[in-house]
Amino acid sequence: MHPKNTGEDALPNFKVMADREIEAVLISHGHQDHTGTLPVLMRRFPNARIFMTEATAEIGSTLLHNSVNVMTRQHKEIGAMSYPLFTHRETDRASELWHWCPLRQRISISGERARQHEKDAVTFEFFDAGHVLGSTGILLRAEGRTIFYTGDVNFDDQTIMEAAIFPEEKIDILIMECTRGDHAKPADWTRAGEERRLAEAIDRTFKRGGCVLIPVFALGKTQEVLALLYKFRRERLLSEFPIYIGGLSSKMTDIYDRRASMTRRQLPRLQLMEETAPFVLNGQTIHDAPARAGRVYALSSGMMTPKTLSNIFARRVVENPLHSVFFVGYADSQSPAGLLRDAVPGVEVMLDPDESGQRVRCNIEQFQFSAHAAREALIDYAKKLSPRKIVLVHGDPPAVEWMQATLTSELPASEIIVPPPGIEVEL
Ligand SMILES: [Zn+2]
Ligand SMILES: [Zn+2]
């Protein structure tokens, strides 16, 4: 699903596949841009088999049901005619058909566990991508050749997620994400240092009588932030304070908690909902939630899309110099989160086109806790594999351009491909 578009414009370009059969769909992880229109795809290609990890299936089904609710509301509010693009029933039926696959097991596209003598079979194998719960990179093997797709990956530990464990053997073709390709890693950046900087910034806000808003994605970033806040309290960097999250975020956090001991992660015994005891806000209660001093509001959406909890709350705090808005992950520069993050103090921003503009007087800071690999780590990984071809995906144009230029000079023997949408690429 295209994260910046809405309605039918957000659907994949099915036209280019109109006269094809799709045998299988491999889902790397549960984020909306990877699963958000899966029921539509399954309607168009009813014979395609769908593969993902069990955690991604649980996350995906919860997110898709939430999307149905959001789309139904938008249909009523703004008369988006094509909405909802799919229904609750269709989502239930779709998720019943998903095949759950463990990590590190060779599975044939036909759905069977691969047998040794099946030399001709196309097989895939999931590897832990360290990005969010259930996330994978996917190794395809066919005709004695290999394609590895990184999905969204992190090669560093986060607070909950552990760094990716990816294949290091020779790969023929590498399909690689480039989300952070336009950000150089600051020389003095360390995760521990960044954590301390965040704790101190929260403390400063509390001391001057303000609250902190952290816009987060419901899946991944919410749980990482809750775990960070838990650590700050345990390490006595901060004393007890109330935390607020959104309804969808609490459902995602429940999944993290339920799967805590089944997954490879840090703090495996930490039950986030129990230990951090967040108050849960929804689309109604957010309207009566005042910005109270000494509290952290970790609300979605991460991009502060209009009408979401983080957008509504941001409009409440943005003009007050006591409060803080802290950005801790990716936000498109044209999104309301991007606009506010890059805003000059005192200048007017328009966070919701249906509301009036507001002057930015709150404290705004940015912290680097990305769930995506640093570009330096992506380049190192590509050099380790030194594949014949590298296909660059999942990045804004400046990010892809930097990756392409760097890989071209560092790996002169490899062909670097930036695939234009809708054009077939011969691998
Ligand atoms: Zn992702
Ligand atoms: Zn993604």
Side-chain angles (χ1 to χ4, degrees), residues 29 31 33-34 131-132 152 372 394:
H29 68 290
H31 272 147
D33 52 325
H34 300 257
H131 170 62
V132 296
D152 293 3
H372 291 272
H394 203 285

Side-chain angles (χ1 to χ4, degrees), residues 126-199:
F126 283 142
F127 289 76
D128 189 341
H131 170 62
V132 296
L133 179 63
S135 65
T136 60
I138 307 168
L139 180 58
L140 282 160
R141 295 179 175 92
E143 300 166 12
R145 295 185 197 193
T146 48
I147 299 180
F148 186 65
Y149 165 53
T150 62
D152 293 3
V153 55
N154 199 340
F155 291 109
D156 291 316
D157 288 341
Q158 302 177 58
T159 307
I160 293 182
M161 298 307 296
E162 285 185 28
I165 302 181
F166 270 4
E168 305 205 337
E169 69 217 51
K170 184 93 187 104
I171 299 282
D172 293 304
I173 296 158
L174 175 65
I175 305 175
M176 187 157 72
E177 71 126 314
C178 318
T179 313
R180 288 175 69 197
D182 56 347
H183 284 94
K185 194 173 175 174
D188 55 349
W189 186 92
T190 64
R191 198 174 174 91
E194 203 71 347
E195 289 182 5
R196 220 172 311 116
R197 198 164 73 82
L198 175 62

Side-chain angles (χ1 to χ4, degrees), residues 10 21 43 83 121 168 180 218 258 260 271 286 314 340 362 394 423 426:
E21 264 301 300
R43 192 191 304 148
Y83 276 5
E168 305 205 337
R180 288 175 69 197
R258 263 202 309 281
Q271 291 289 298
I286 186 73
L340 185 59
C362 69
H394 203 285
I423 307 292
E426 177 71 54

